[in-house]
Amino acid sequence: MRSSVTAGSGGRIELVDLSKRYGSGEPPAVDHISIDIEPGEFITLLGPSGSGKTTTLNMIVGFTEPTSGAIRLNGQDISRLPPHRRDFGMVFQNYALFPHLTVAQNVAFPLRERKVSKVETDRRVGEALALVDLAGMEKRRPHELSGGQQQRVALARAVVFSPSVLLLDEPLSALDRKLRQSLQREVKRLHRELKLTFVFVTHDQDEAMTLSDRIAIFDHGRIDAIGTPAELYHRPATQFAARFLGESNVFAGEHRTDDVYEWRDRKWTVGGERRVGGNRVLIVRPERTALALDERSVPAGANGADAVVTDVSFYGTYYRVELTYGDGSVGSAALPVGTPATVSPGTKVIAYWRPEDQVLVAE
Ligand code: ADP
Ligand code: MG
């Protein structure tokens, strides 16, 4: 028999041309966004502070009424349903536990509201606490727990009634780095075991990359780009996405003809991407960038840019070499550990890469 806590199946959420404007004179907090979220998907809304992530989550859960557009759950329009009829689990950054209730009473709270019997409640609370590794903590109160443990209680409370969707608004942002990483693994395991649809909000790109099936990058209330972490990293569709997710070398030159991109006095071969016209910037990721000390050492067919090394730092698995290019822009190359340390701040180099490793995006 499947247990009741783990018996949920993920709901399909569709956001259809959804907008929210808090005041008539203000720019929209969420501006005509559309996303189809697959049943059981782990999707992350990633973006800087104020980009509309929380507003979107609050519209999904029902705390905030959309100005226009629709929200569907498994094909049904739920835009006008009150939160309790949507039945979604929610976890906030600040735990939001009831301080006067014990751990068990906190987790039981959604079941009491739903008039679940005492026997069934005890069984489900036990299961939910076991799921987040808190068995034995039933009688403690929130102030007797660490931040990480409190957030586990909040997770247990959010899934105890078997919702089809779990919404998490920066649930780990208040925790220190070590704890955050261990809770990230916990959240990932929960998703694997519960098979619910997770909509996760964060402003932390590494967290988004490690957890998500897909990431939607928010910018000023709009979705700037959406895709798997690998797609967004290797083939960013916009400069904002490239800059927000990981490091980049960004060159502002001119894509003059089909095959040639001009940057300062250099003419670079354009690889797979051949969209001409408009202002395009050329982007290369640091781990695709190598360094040569003179022009003769640049392999045939590679594109190269003149730079000066401005910093070298050791990251355990690679060296990050910070580069200042001829036009003043700053980028970096990630060099594998084991390569001879031939560069130091002040060294003049040519950063080079294969044309197929570059991406041209709209400015
Ligand atoms: P994020 O979660 O990405 O930081 P929010 O959704 O909280 O962004 O905010 C988006 C925009 O909407 C911001 O400009 C913010 O100031 C504004 N905003 C958020 N909540 C309210 C509110 N209750 N009333 C008025 N403006 C709000
Ligand atoms: Mg927020």
Side-chain angles (χ1 to χ4, degrees):
M1 202 185 80
R2 293 174 77 191
S3 72
S4 45
V5 173
T6 56
S9 64
R12 174 189 300 278
I13 303 267
E14 291 163 84
L15 309 182
V16 188
D17 208 20
L18 197 61
S19 293
K20 176 66 187 181
R21 201 181 273 276
Y22 286 106
S24 53
E26 291 168 38
V30 172
D31 194 4
H32 296 283
I33 64 166
S34 296
I35 321 179
D36 285 351
I37 304 171
E38 298 286 326
E41 185 172 13
F42 194 126
I43 191 161
T44 295
L45 316 184
L46 172 69
S49 173
S51 59
K53 308 178 300 289
T54 293
T55 300
T56 301
L57 214 61
N58 285 343
M59 287 194 282
I60 297 174
V61 77
F63 298 152
T64 298
E65 196 180 339
T67 307
S68 64
I71 301 157
R72 297 196 194 116
L73 171 64
N74 301 326
Q76 302 280 321
D77 192 338
I78 58 164
S79 317
R80 308 293 154 204
L81 282 187
H84 69 272
R85 304 254 326 263
R86 302 186 190 196
D87 232 20
F88 294 161
M90 179 100 189
V91 182
F92 303 90
Q93 179 176 337
N94 55 3
Y95 323 133
L97 300 178
F98 302 110
H100 56 289
L101 298 184
T102 64
V103 165
Q105 288 166 339
N106 264 286
V107 176
F109 194 83
L111 300 176
R112 266 181 44 197
E113 284 186 310
R114 288 168 176 78
K115 310 235 178 327
V116 174
S117 74
K118 167 102 175 56
V119 174
E120 178 70 4
T121 297
D122 288 350
R123 195 177 66 74
R124 289 212 200 180
V125 168
E127 258 180 47
L129 285 174
L131 197 65
V132 297
D133 232 6
L134 282 182
M137 301 276 189
E138 287 79 358
K139 298 221 154 49
R140 299 231 190 148
R141 304 208 183 245
H143 73 267
E144 297 169 303
L145 301 175
S146 69
Q149 289 171 328
Q150 291 187 47
Q151 202 54 311
R152 286 167 197 261
V153 176
L155 279 166
R157 185 179 60 181
V159 299
V160 74
F161 57 96
S162 305
S164 63
V165 178
L166 185 60
L167 306 161
L168 306 106
D169 193 356
E170 309 235 10
L172 311 180
S173 299
L175 306 173
D176 66 46
R177 192 178 135 84
K178 257 247 150 74
L179 205 51
R180 199 164 71 226
Q181 286 172 342
S182 103
L183 262 283
Q184 282 170 1
R185 286 192 288 275
E186 200 81 349
V187 166
K188 205 165 177 170
R189 183 179 59 78
L190 264 186
H191 176 251
R192 217 166 36 234
E193 290 184 11
L194 296 177
K195 301 184 174 62
L196 307 180
T197 308
F198 275 40
V199 187
F200 188 97
V201 165
T202 184
H203 63 269
D204 179 332
Q205 47 152 306
D206 293 330
E207 190 164 283
M209 295 271 265
T210 52
L211 290 177
S212 321
D213 295 322
R214 273 196 307 165
I215 300 171
I217 300 182
F218 274 61
D219 179 26
H220 292 96
R222 291 176 161 270
I223 296 174
D224 180 80
I226 186 164
T228 66
E231 280 164 5
L232 291 176
Y233 188 79
H234 294 299
R235 294 277 145 203
T238 66
Q239 187 177 172
F240 184 80
R243 286 186 188 274
F244 206 78
L245 219 53
E247 289 199 59
S248 299
N249 298 286
V250 181
F251 299 100
E254 291 208 47
H255 192 186
R256 279 205 199 281
T257 71
D258 228 20
D259 312 314
V260 178
Y261 187 92
E262 287 185 23
W263 179 78
R264 295 163 65 81
D265 58 354
R266 297 216 175 230
K267 288 186 171 35
W268 292 337
T269 309
V270 173
E273 194 142 352
R274 290 180 180 278
R275 289 178 296 176
V276 183
N279 288 330
R280 299 198 164 269
V281 295
L282 190 146
I283 289 171
V284 193
R285 294 296 191 179
E287 71 281 0
R288 306 283 171 168
T289 307
L291 301 180
L293 293 175
D294 55 49
E295 204 69 50
R296 278 171 308 147
S297 314
V298 176
N303 291 332
D306 319 273
V308 175
V309 172
T310 38
D311 186 46
V312 180
S313 19
F314 180 54
Y315 275 78
T317 48
Y318 66 96
Y319 288 99
R320 178 183 179 279
V321 179
E322 187 184 89
L323 303 166
T324 299
Y325 289 100
D327 62 0
S329 68
V330 177
S332 67
L335 303 188
V337 169
T339 47
T342 48
V343 297
S344 52
T347 310
K348 284 189 177 165
V349 293
I350 298 155
Y352 67 87
W353 59 91
R354 302 182 307 171
E356 56 265 45
D357 289 335
Q358 70 201 15
V359 186
L360 283 169
V361 304
E363 197 167 11

